[in-house]
Amino acid sequence: MKKYSSFYVLLFDSGPIHLDHQLNSHIKQFNPNYCSKLVWQAYFYGSGNLPVIRAIGDRAVVPPTNLPTSFTWNYTPHSIGRY
């Protein structure tokens, strides 16, 4: 049996859903969504009990350039190289 993160099950257990694309400050609200917010939510909700993402309030905007600073110290991504 394949094991999925709780984030995946929450969004896709009852079939694919449509997410509206819109920039907003409700970081924990699934719809509407935008690219870096979706990545942030995947790590926030999909990491189980691991402290992967820093705790923030319910209102924030996470631009793509700020994603690396959203991680806690033990889980900070590192640049391997450029393409």
XYZ file of all heavy atoms in Angstrom:
680
model
N 0.844 -1.182 0.000
C 0.000 0.000 0.000
C 0.887 1.242 0.000
O 1.793 1.370 0.813
C -0.899 -0.008 1.230
C -1.832 1.141 1.282
S -3.050 0.825 2.590
C -3.435 2.454 3.016
N 0.618 2.146 -0.914
C 1.409 3.347 -1.025
C 1.005 4.336 0.058
O -0.170 4.519 0.333
C 1.183 3.963 -2.399
C 2.329 4.761 -2.877
C 2.156 5.065 -4.343
C 3.476 5.529 -4.892
N 3.438 5.873 -6.264
N 1.985 4.979 0.675
C 1.719 5.933 1.748
C 1.904 7.347 1.217
O 2.923 7.658 0.621
C 2.662 5.660 2.911
C 2.300 6.396 4.158
C 3.159 5.931 5.302
C 2.698 6.564 6.577
N 3.482 6.159 7.709
N 0.908 8.195 1.411
C 0.964 9.576 0.956
C 0.988 10.513 2.157
O 0.538 10.168 3.234
C -0.267 9.911 0.102
C -0.340 9.118 -1.169
C -1.186 8.025 -1.285
C 0.439 9.456 -2.258
C -1.254 7.292 -2.457
C 0.384 8.734 -3.430
C -0.466 7.662 -3.532
O -0.526 6.950 -4.679
N 1.502 11.718 1.919
C 1.478 12.715 2.986
C 0.033 13.129 3.246
O -0.848 12.999 2.398
C 2.309 13.934 2.585
O 1.629 14.706 1.625
N -0.205 13.652 4.432
C -1.557 14.099 4.782
C -1.999 15.242 3.882
O -3.176 15.398 3.600
C -1.614 14.509 6.250
O -0.665 15.517 6.506
N -1.060 16.052 3.394
C -1.384 17.151 2.499
C -1.954 16.606 1.188
O -2.962 17.083 0.691
C -0.137 17.994 2.222
C -0.386 19.171 1.326
C -1.086 20.272 1.787
C 0.085 19.190 0.037
C -1.312 21.361 0.977
C -0.134 20.276 -0.784
C -0.834 21.362 -0.312
N -1.311 15.572 0.646
C -1.781 14.955 -0.598
C -3.182 14.377 -0.406
O -4.057 14.591 -1.228
C -0.810 13.859 -1.040
C -1.263 13.149 -2.297
C -0.905 13.641 -3.544
C -2.053 12.014 -2.234
C -1.324 13.017 -4.694
C -2.479 11.384 -3.382
C -2.107 11.884 -4.615
O -2.533 11.258 -5.744
N -3.375 13.658 0.664
C -4.677 13.033 0.926
C -5.741 14.103 1.119
O -6.851 13.994 0.602
C -4.609 12.097 2.152
C -5.994 11.601 2.539
C -3.684 10.930 1.859
N -5.401 15.165 1.827
C -6.352 16.247 2.053
C -6.812 16.870 0.741
O -7.980 17.137 0.548
C -5.711 17.313 2.951
C -6.548 18.528 3.275
C -7.752 18.113 4.116
C -5.727 19.551 4.018
N -5.874 17.053 -0.186
C -6.223 17.691 -1.446
C -6.784 16.732 -2.490
O -7.633 17.092 -3.273
C -4.999 18.398 -2.040
C -4.553 19.667 -1.350
C -3.333 20.232 -2.040
C -5.658 20.692 -1.326
N -6.294 15.491 -2.529
C -6.593 14.626 -3.654
C -7.301 13.318 -3.313
O -7.547 12.513 -4.190
C -5.297 14.306 -4.410
C -4.629 15.521 -4.954
C -3.496 16.032 -4.361
C -5.146 16.174 -6.057
C -2.872 17.159 -4.865
C -4.547 17.303 -6.564
C -3.403 17.796 -5.969
N -7.632 13.081 -2.069
C -8.270 11.823 -1.693
C -9.608 11.637 -2.411
O -9.959 10.536 -2.804
C -8.450 11.753 -0.175
C -8.846 10.365 0.285
O -8.396 9.381 -0.340
O -9.607 10.256 1.257
N -10.345 12.695 -2.588
C -11.646 12.583 -3.249
C -11.543 12.983 -4.721
O -12.526 13.349 -5.343
C -12.679 13.441 -2.532
O -12.257 14.784 -2.508
N -10.377 12.912 -5.280
C -10.156 13.259 -6.679
C -9.493 14.616 -6.802
O -9.443 15.381 -5.852
N -8.949 14.905 -7.979
C -8.283 16.194 -8.182
C -9.242 17.360 -7.947
O -10.436 17.264 -8.218
C -7.858 16.138 -9.649
C -7.842 14.701 -9.994
C -8.902 14.056 -9.140
N -8.701 18.430 -7.422
C -9.511 19.621 -7.207
C -8.912 20.776 -7.992
O -7.742 20.750 -8.371
C -9.609 20.004 -5.709
C -8.227 20.345 -5.151
C -10.260 18.917 -4.905
C -8.258 20.983 -3.800
N -9.706 21.770 -8.244
C -9.254 22.963 -8.952
C -8.832 24.006 -7.918
O -9.570 24.291 -6.987
C -10.380 23.516 -9.822
C -10.037 24.828 -10.430
N -9.204 24.934 -11.518
C -10.391 26.087 -10.091
C -9.062 26.208 -11.828
N -9.783 26.927 -10.972
N -7.634 24.556 -8.093
C -7.177 25.647 -7.238
C -7.108 26.914 -8.071
O -6.488 26.934 -9.133
C -5.784 25.343 -6.665
C -5.678 24.171 -5.709
C -4.232 23.929 -5.323
C -6.520 24.406 -4.476
N -7.758 27.962 -7.604
C -7.672 29.250 -8.278
C -6.309 29.858 -8.024
O -5.762 29.743 -6.932
C -8.758 30.199 -7.765
C -10.147 29.701 -8.085
O -10.350 29.208 -9.209
O -11.028 29.807 -7.208
N -5.740 30.490 -9.040
C -4.437 31.133 -8.897
C -4.647 32.596 -8.524
O -5.205 33.369 -9.286
C -3.645 31.034 -10.200
C -2.254 31.547 -10.070
N -1.940 32.857 -10.312
C -1.120 30.938 -9.689
C -0.649 33.034 -10.101
N -0.128 31.885 -9.721
N -4.208 32.941 -7.310
C -4.342 34.318 -6.844
C -3.381 34.535 -5.694
O -3.231 33.686 -4.815
C -5.762 34.594 -6.378
C -5.977 35.998 -5.871
C -7.376 36.199 -5.313
O -8.079 35.257 -4.993
N -7.773 37.448 -5.179
N -2.714 35.665 -5.689
C -1.819 36.021 -4.601
C -2.647 36.577 -3.449
O -3.419 37.522 -3.637
C -0.817 37.072 -5.080
C 0.292 37.455 -4.130
C 1.170 36.249 -3.830
C 1.117 38.575 -4.711
N -2.539 35.960 -2.268
C -3.207 36.475 -1.079
C -2.372 36.166 0.147
O -1.397 35.439 0.076
C -4.644 35.959 -0.944
C -4.718 34.492 -0.589
O -3.745 33.870 -0.203
N -5.895 33.929 -0.716
N -2.742 36.717 1.274
C -1.928 36.573 2.486
C -2.420 35.485 3.436
O -1.892 35.353 4.532
C -1.872 37.912 3.228
O -3.169 38.280 3.641
N -3.392 34.708 3.037
C -3.889 33.619 3.882
C -3.064 32.362 3.598
O -3.458 31.504 2.820
C -5.378 33.368 3.627
C -6.232 34.564 3.892
N -6.528 34.991 5.161
C -6.830 35.440 3.053
C -7.277 36.069 5.096
N -7.471 36.370 3.827
N -1.917 32.247 4.252
C -0.929 31.218 3.933
C -1.437 29.799 4.162
O -1.037 28.876 3.464
C 0.391 31.472 4.710
C 1.516 30.586 4.194
C 0.217 31.272 6.206
C 2.010 30.947 2.837
N -2.327 29.594 5.105
C -2.807 28.242 5.401
C -4.120 27.899 4.704
O -4.635 26.802 4.850
C -2.925 28.055 6.915
C -1.556 28.152 7.594
C -1.643 28.048 9.087
C -0.271 28.231 9.715
N -0.335 28.264 11.158
N -4.655 28.817 3.925
C -5.880 28.590 3.156
C -5.492 27.977 1.807
O -4.597 28.472 1.125
C -6.585 29.930 2.946
C -7.876 29.865 2.205
C -8.449 31.268 2.012
O -7.728 32.204 1.699
N -9.745 31.391 2.200
N -6.141 26.863 1.428
C -5.749 26.136 0.226
C -6.179 26.814 -1.071
O -5.512 26.690 -2.084
C -6.306 24.715 0.250
C -5.715 23.880 1.344
C -6.525 23.333 2.316
C -4.356 23.651 1.410
C -5.983 22.572 3.333
C -3.807 22.896 2.418
C -4.616 22.351 3.386
N -7.304 27.473 -1.070
C -7.796 28.060 -2.294
C -8.270 29.471 -2.015
O -9.084 29.655 -1.117
C -8.950 27.212 -2.845
C -9.213 27.442 -4.312
O -8.394 28.007 -5.013
N -10.370 27.005 -4.765
N -7.742 30.460 -2.730
C -6.836 30.420 -3.862
C -5.397 30.137 -3.440
O -5.058 30.226 -2.268
C -6.969 31.801 -4.474
C -7.355 32.693 -3.339
C -8.172 31.829 -2.408
N -4.575 29.825 -4.432
C -3.200 29.448 -4.158
C -2.275 30.041 -5.205
O -2.729 30.551 -6.225
C -3.078 27.916 -4.154
C -2.150 27.413 -3.081
O -1.067 27.943 -2.907
N -2.593 26.393 -2.364
N -0.982 30.006 -4.947
C 0.032 30.430 -5.917
C 1.248 29.529 -5.750
O 1.334 28.752 -4.798
C 0.388 31.918 -5.768
C 0.820 32.345 -4.386
C 2.154 32.361 -4.028
C -0.114 32.750 -3.441
C 2.559 32.762 -2.767
C 0.271 33.156 -2.173
C 1.615 33.161 -1.849
O 2.002 33.552 -0.590
N 2.187 29.589 -6.687
C 3.257 28.595 -6.795
C 4.041 28.368 -5.503
O 4.111 27.245 -5.002
C 4.197 28.963 -7.939
S 4.983 30.584 -7.742
N 4.639 29.392 -4.945
C 5.473 29.194 -3.761
C 4.641 28.900 -2.510
O 5.109 28.230 -1.599
C 6.386 30.404 -3.533
O 5.651 31.596 -3.520
N 3.407 29.368 -2.480
C 2.518 29.044 -1.363
C 2.193 27.552 -1.371
O 2.152 26.907 -0.332
C 1.233 29.869 -1.456
C 0.215 29.584 -0.364
C -1.007 30.473 -0.564
C -2.161 30.077 0.301
N -3.353 30.896 0.045
N 1.994 26.979 -2.545
C 1.714 25.548 -2.669
C 2.911 24.722 -2.203
O 2.754 23.723 -1.503
C 1.350 25.207 -4.111
C 0.786 23.835 -4.373
C -0.484 23.609 -3.577
C 0.508 23.657 -5.857
N 4.116 25.151 -2.537
C 5.330 24.465 -2.074
C 5.434 24.576 -0.556
O 5.701 23.595 0.139
C 6.590 25.047 -2.753
C 7.855 24.473 -2.141
C 6.547 24.784 -4.254
N 5.216 25.769 -0.004
C 5.270 25.988 1.441
C 4.267 25.079 2.151
O 4.584 24.432 3.138
C 4.975 27.456 1.763
C 5.133 27.810 3.199
C 6.246 28.284 3.817
C 4.122 27.700 4.226
N 5.998 28.483 5.156
C 4.703 28.127 5.437
C 2.804 27.285 4.244
C 4.003 28.156 6.641
C 2.101 27.306 5.440
C 2.704 27.736 6.613
N 3.035 25.013 1.632
C 1.995 24.179 2.240
C 2.349 22.692 2.159
O 2.059 21.935 3.084
C 0.648 24.427 1.566
C 0.046 25.757 1.911
C -1.240 26.025 1.157
O -1.509 25.434 0.122
N -2.041 26.939 1.692
N 2.973 22.280 1.074
C 3.364 20.868 0.948
C 4.340 20.478 2.046
O 4.214 19.407 2.653
C 3.977 20.616 -0.421
N 5.307 21.324 2.339
C 6.253 21.031 3.426
C 5.609 21.216 4.796
O 5.864 20.456 5.717
C 7.504 21.903 3.309
C 8.469 21.394 2.288
C 8.550 21.969 1.029
C 9.304 20.323 2.570
C 9.438 21.494 0.079
C 10.193 19.838 1.636
C 10.256 20.433 0.390
O 11.137 19.954 -0.546
N 4.768 22.221 4.947
C 4.132 22.494 6.237
C 3.184 21.371 6.637
O 3.228 20.857 7.750
C 3.383 23.825 6.187
C 2.743 24.223 7.484
C 3.513 24.768 8.501
C 1.389 24.061 7.694
C 2.929 25.145 9.710
C 0.791 24.427 8.895
C 1.571 24.971 9.905
N 2.302 20.972 5.716
C 1.310 19.944 6.034
C 1.807 18.527 5.770
O 1.295 17.570 6.350
C 0.024 20.182 5.224
C -0.713 21.424 5.650
C -0.763 22.533 4.818
C -1.337 21.492 6.878
C -1.438 23.678 5.207
C -2.013 22.630 7.278
C -2.057 23.716 6.439
O -2.719 24.852 6.829
N 2.788 18.369 4.908
C 3.232 17.042 4.511
C 4.388 16.481 5.306
O 4.805 15.353 5.071
N 4.925 17.228 6.263
C 6.094 16.758 7.005
C 5.737 16.044 8.305
O 6.624 15.688 9.073
C 7.026 17.937 7.303
O 6.363 18.913 8.069
N 4.459 15.853 8.547
C 4.053 15.162 9.769
C 4.413 15.962 10.999
O 4.153 17.159 11.074
N 5.071 15.321 11.958
C 5.453 15.989 13.205
C 6.842 16.617 13.147
O 7.300 17.168 14.143
C 5.398 14.998 14.373
C 3.976 14.559 14.662
O 3.028 15.291 14.407
N 3.829 13.354 15.176
N 7.526 16.498 12.012
C 8.865 17.069 11.902
C 8.788 18.595 11.781
O 7.956 19.114 11.043
C 9.588 16.498 10.688
C 9.853 15.004 10.712
C 10.453 14.553 9.386
C 10.790 14.654 11.856
N 9.663 19.308 12.473
C 9.643 20.774 12.418
C 10.393 21.290 11.186
O 11.454 21.897 11.286
C 10.349 21.175 13.715
C 11.319 20.056 13.952
C 10.636 18.804 13.446
N 9.851 21.045 10.003
C 10.531 21.394 8.758
C 10.386 22.881 8.439
O 11.339 23.532 8.041
C 9.983 20.534 7.593
C 10.573 20.948 6.264
C 10.273 19.058 7.857
N 9.201 23.416 8.619
C 8.914 24.826 8.288
C 8.807 25.642 9.569
O 8.234 25.194 10.555
C 7.597 24.920 7.485
C 7.734 24.229 6.131
C 7.134 26.347 7.297
C 8.621 24.950 5.141
N 9.365 26.853 9.521
C 9.267 27.749 10.681
C 7.809 28.120 10.951
O 7.029 28.295 10.027
C 10.038 29.043 10.421
C 11.507 28.867 10.307
C 12.152 30.221 10.027
N 13.515 30.050 9.617
C 14.541 29.947 10.453
N 14.333 30.001 11.742
N 15.758 29.789 9.998
N 7.476 28.250 12.208
C 6.121 28.640 12.592
C 5.901 30.101 12.231
O 6.723 30.964 12.516
C 5.924 28.435 14.081
N 4.780 30.362 11.567
C 4.373 31.736 11.265
C 2.884 31.831 11.534
O 2.213 30.828 11.723
C 4.689 32.144 9.805
C 3.957 31.231 8.814
C 6.168 32.145 9.536
C 4.094 31.690 7.379
N 2.372 33.011 11.538
C 0.948 33.211 11.777
C 0.105 32.750 10.597
O 0.605 32.125 9.664
N -1.164 33.076 10.635
C -2.076 32.668 9.568
C -2.008 33.572 8.338
O -2.546 33.242 7.301
C -3.513 32.655 10.087
C -3.740 31.538 11.086
O -2.989 30.547 11.047
O -4.664 31.655 11.908
N -1.360 34.708 8.468
C -1.290 35.648 7.351
C 0.163 35.923 6.999
O 0.916 36.464 7.799
C -2.022 36.926 7.689
C -3.503 36.693 7.935
C -4.231 37.974 8.215
N -4.325 38.810 7.029
C -5.378 38.804 6.200
N -6.384 38.010 6.438
N -5.413 39.596 5.159
N 0.532 35.534 5.793
C 1.875 35.777 5.282
C 1.870 35.555 3.781
O 1.054 34.808 3.258
C 2.882 34.843 5.941
N 2.779 36.206 3.103
C 3.013 35.970 1.679
C 4.425 35.413 1.568
O 5.363 35.959 2.138
C 2.876 37.277 0.861
C 3.268 37.048 -0.586
C 1.461 37.807 0.952
N 4.560 34.300 0.847
C 5.868 33.653 0.696
C 6.278 33.712 -0.768
O 5.864 32.880 -1.570
C 5.831 32.186 1.181
C 7.189 31.538 1.028
C 5.358 32.099 2.610
N 7.087 34.722 -1.142
C 7.581 34.760 -2.517
C 8.607 33.634 -2.736
O 9.203 33.140 -1.775
C 8.241 36.131 -2.637
C 8.342 36.676 -1.276
C 7.495 35.863 -0.363
N 8.814 33.216 -3.967
C 9.750 32.109 -4.231
C 11.143 32.332 -3.648
O 11.771 31.396 -3.164
C 9.797 32.037 -5.758
C 8.517 32.624 -6.214
C 8.159 33.669 -5.190
N 11.621 33.567 -3.656
C 12.965 33.838 -3.133
C 13.051 33.669 -1.618
O 14.138 33.502 -1.084
C 13.416 35.269 -3.504
O 12.411 36.191 -3.062
C 13.612 35.397 -5.001
N 11.912 33.691 -0.920
C 11.916 33.526 0.535
C 11.683 32.090 0.987
O 11.715 31.813 2.182
C 10.855 34.419 1.176
C 11.224 35.878 1.127
O 12.227 36.252 0.529
N 10.411 36.715 1.721
N 11.425 31.179 0.058
C 11.182 29.784 0.448
C 12.341 29.186 1.244
O 12.116 28.552 2.275
C 10.889 28.924 -0.776
C 9.440 28.867 -1.207
C 9.308 28.116 -2.524
C 8.569 28.235 -0.148
N 13.604 29.365 0.833
C 14.694 28.759 1.611
C 14.763 29.238 3.060
O 15.142 28.480 3.945
C 15.955 29.171 0.847
C 15.491 29.383 -0.550
C 14.106 29.957 -0.409
N 14.362 30.462 3.326
C 14.406 30.969 4.702
C 13.192 30.541 5.514
O 13.114 30.819 6.702
C 14.523 32.507 4.724
O 13.376 33.073 4.081
C 15.793 32.963 4.035
N 12.235 29.860 4.877
C 11.045 29.366 5.581
C 11.322 28.073 6.339
O 10.543 27.672 7.188
C 9.910 29.117 4.590
O 9.527 30.312 3.968
N 12.426 27.413 6.022
C 12.762 26.138 6.648
C 13.485 26.353 7.975
O 14.200 27.334 8.144
C 13.661 25.307 5.722
C 12.954 24.802 4.507
C 12.829 25.584 3.375
C 12.402 23.528 4.491
C 12.178 25.115 2.249
C 11.748 23.050 3.377
C 11.628 23.845 2.250
N 13.304 25.423 8.900
C 14.052 25.476 10.149
C 15.509 25.115 9.867
O 15.839 24.570 8.806
C 13.466 24.509 11.195
O 13.456 23.190 10.657
C 12.069 24.920 11.607
N 16.374 25.383 10.820
C 17.809 25.219 10.630
C 18.183 23.808 10.182
O 18.992 23.630 9.272
C 18.532 25.588 11.932
C 20.012 25.550 11.770
C 20.791 26.532 11.225
C 20.883 24.493 12.131
N 22.100 26.139 11.221
C 22.180 24.886 11.780
C 20.698 23.248 12.709
C 23.292 24.074 11.994
C 21.804 22.445 12.920
C 23.074 22.863 12.566
N 17.621 22.786 10.783
C 17.981 21.402 10.442
C 17.533 20.981 9.054
O 18.035 19.992 8.521
C 17.377 20.425 11.456
C 18.057 20.513 12.802
O 19.191 20.967 12.901
N 17.368 20.086 13.833
N 16.580 21.677 8.471
C 16.013 21.278 7.176
C 16.239 22.309 6.079
O 15.612 22.246 5.027
C 14.516 20.998 7.323
C 14.249 19.845 8.256
C 13.934 20.067 9.594
C 14.345 18.532 7.811
C 13.697 19.008 10.458
C 14.114 17.470 8.670
C 13.788 17.715 9.991
O 13.581 16.661 10.843
N 17.131 23.247 6.294
C 17.401 24.282 5.294
C 17.961 23.642 4.024
O 18.929 22.894 4.086
C 18.414 25.301 5.841
O 17.884 25.886 7.022
C 18.693 26.395 4.820
N 17.343 23.927 2.874
C 17.882 23.375 1.617
C 19.204 24.048 1.265
O 19.442 25.217 1.613
C 16.802 23.703 0.588
C 15.948 24.731 1.193
C 16.134 24.693 2.656
N 20.054 23.320 0.591
C 21.359 23.840 0.185
C 21.465 23.829 -1.331
O 20.990 22.905 -1.981
C 22.483 22.990 0.786
C 22.463 22.958 2.269
N 22.917 23.987 3.043
C 21.997 22.023 3.133
C 22.764 23.688 4.320
N 22.194 22.500 4.404
N 22.096 24.826 -1.867
C 22.286 24.913 -3.310
C 23.381 23.920 -3.719
O 24.498 23.936 -3.183
C 22.695 26.328 -3.700
O 22.958 26.380 -5.069
N 23.072 23.060 -4.667
C 24.033 22.085 -5.174
C 24.783 22.649 -6.364
O 25.957 22.417 -6.550
C 23.309 20.766 -5.590
C 22.511 20.203 -4.426
C 24.282 19.743 -6.134
C 23.320 19.710 -3.268
N 24.104 23.395 -7.197
C 24.721 23.978 -8.389
C 23.684 24.708 -9.204
O 22.524 24.802 -8.827
N 24.119 25.221 -10.333
C 23.213 25.952 -11.225
C 23.033 25.163 -12.512
O 23.934 24.455 -12.932
C 23.779 27.331 -11.530
C 23.876 28.205 -10.289
C 24.444 29.550 -10.652
N 23.547 30.280 -11.520
C 22.732 31.239 -11.132
N 22.699 31.577 -9.879
N 21.963 31.857 -11.989
N 21.892 25.334 -13.121
C 21.634 24.668 -14.407
C 21.902 25.631 -15.546
O 21.758 26.788 -15.444
C 20.176 24.198 -14.477
C 19.894 23.089 -13.516
C 19.282 23.334 -12.304
C 20.248 21.795 -13.839
C 19.017 22.305 -11.424
C 19.978 20.747 -12.960
C 19.362 21.014 -11.759
O 19.103 20.006 -10.900
